[in-house]
Amino acid sequence: MMDKTTLTFGEIALPADPFAAFGIWLRDAEASEPNDPNAMSLATVDSDGLPDVRMVLLKGFDRRGFVFYTNFESRKGEEIRATRKAALNFHWKSLHRQIRIRGDVEIVSDEEADAYYASRARESRIGAWASLQSRPLENRETLERRVEDLGSQYGEGPIPRPPVWSGFRVVPREIEFWHDGAFRLHDRYRLTRTGADDWTASRLYP
Ligand SMILES: Cc1cc2nc3c(=O)[nH]c(=O)nc-3n(C[C@H](O)[C@H](O)[C@H](O)COP(=O)(O)O)c2cc1C
């Protein structure tokens, strides 16, 4: 019988609460990964059910879910707005750990998106306007000219958030914690949502 309150990975123990456990491993990664400990792969599917995957940066998480920001007219933006589903994967190589998340997707509030947008460097705020993300670009100069023109247009004044740039929140249905073990005998736990904020943990064969 599995201990319902603790996930054990050899010497390592995590609380069986998925958000508390996620926070501990993210902090460990922040302390040890050389860059982008918050980088995660984001999987989506198109209208044919064909999957796609790319990296994005986690910009916030709490009991509601996992937030990243992007252009809503990008390929991922279109796919998520159509399906309202996504999966995430973190792999921290030097820690030999993986976290997988699958769930439904919400759009963050305008207030939340505005607050995050305002925290970005001016160049990144201009970049969000300049990049017609995922659409064909004739050459590099065209992009650079857009950045320049938008820079002069806004001058030193405030730069509003582009209407097509905002955040998605992946509201997890399940979260899996994986840690490698000797001879491929890894430890895996899947935490599955069973209620508004109730979760059940099961150990899986590696
Ligand atoms: C480490 C890393 C982090 C990234 N973070 C983001 C991000 O937070 N948001 C974003 O829109 N694109 C991010 N990108 C770029 C995406 O991987 C991708 O190229 C872009 O969003 C277009 O994807 P799409 O055409 O599937 O929509 C990141 C790329 C890397 C390698």
Side-chain angles (χ1 to χ4, degrees):
M1 220 11 221
M2 205 187 116
D3 172 356
K4 293 287 181 208
T5 57
T6 310
L7 313 177
T8 54
F9 306 81
E11 301 292 296
I12 296 164
L14 281 180
D17 175 81
F19 300 104
F22 179 86
I24 291 168
W25 276 15
L26 179 64
R27 272 199 305 281
D28 288 350
E30 285 166 351
S32 68
E33 290 295 317
N35 53 46
D36 293 339
N38 58 334
M40 56 190 186
S41 50
L42 162 73
T44 54
V45 288
D46 69 12
S47 53
D48 285 338
L50 186 66
D52 203 347
V53 64
R54 78 291 281 158
M55 304 301 294
V56 291
L57 297 177
L58 178 73
K59 289 296 176 181
F61 90 93
D62 58 23
R63 299 197 83 79
R64 292 173 299 169
F66 300 84
V67 174
F68 63 91
Y69 288 88
T70 194
N71 185 309
F72 277 31
E73 293 180 350
S74 65
R75 179 183 280 187
K76 77 182 96 47
E78 300 281 4
E79 289 173 353
I80 290 174
R81 285 189 297 138
T83 62
R84 292 301 181 115
K85 293 184 180 69
L88 305 171
N89 181 291
F90 293 83
H91 176 215
W92 294 297
K93 290 189 179 66
S94 56
L95 291 168
H96 309 281
R97 293 174 184 172
Q98 170 179 244
I99 297 180
R100 294 164 63 173
I101 297 168
R102 300 172 77 205
D104 304 278
V105 183
E106 296 174 351
I107 295 170
V108 305
S109 68
D110 284 344
E111 294 70 33
E112 195 174 345
D114 287 343
Y116 173 65
Y117 184 76
S119 77
R120 288 162 50 105
R122 185 173 177 280
E123 292 71 15
S124 307
R125 281 179 277 146
I126 296 276
W129 278 100
S131 175
L132 307 175
Q133 198 177 56
S134 311
R135 276 145 291 176
L137 170 62
E138 207 166 38
N139 51 44
R140 175 90 200 172
E141 290 66 45
T142 305
L143 174 62
E144 287 171 3
R145 208 171 326 112
R146 282 179 63 81
V147 170
E148 237 172 72
D149 291 351
L150 285 155
S152 333
Q153 184 186 323
Y154 287 114
E156 291 309 309
I159 306 170
R161 178 170 58 88
V164 298
W165 191 97
S166 186
F168 286 120
R169 173 177 285 109
V170 179
V171 179
R173 294 189 195 189
E174 57 182 43
I175 307 186
E176 182 193 309
F177 294 83
W178 180 103
H179 197 298
D180 85 337
F183 306 110
R184 306 275 191 276
L185 298 181
H186 316 299
D187 289 299
R188 290 179 70 186
Y189 291 95
R190 181 182 293 154
L191 278 69
T192 306
R193 190 191 288 275
T194 51
D197 198 15
D198 295 322
W199 295 82
T200 180
S202 43
R203 188 186 259 280
L204 304 178
Y205 277 96

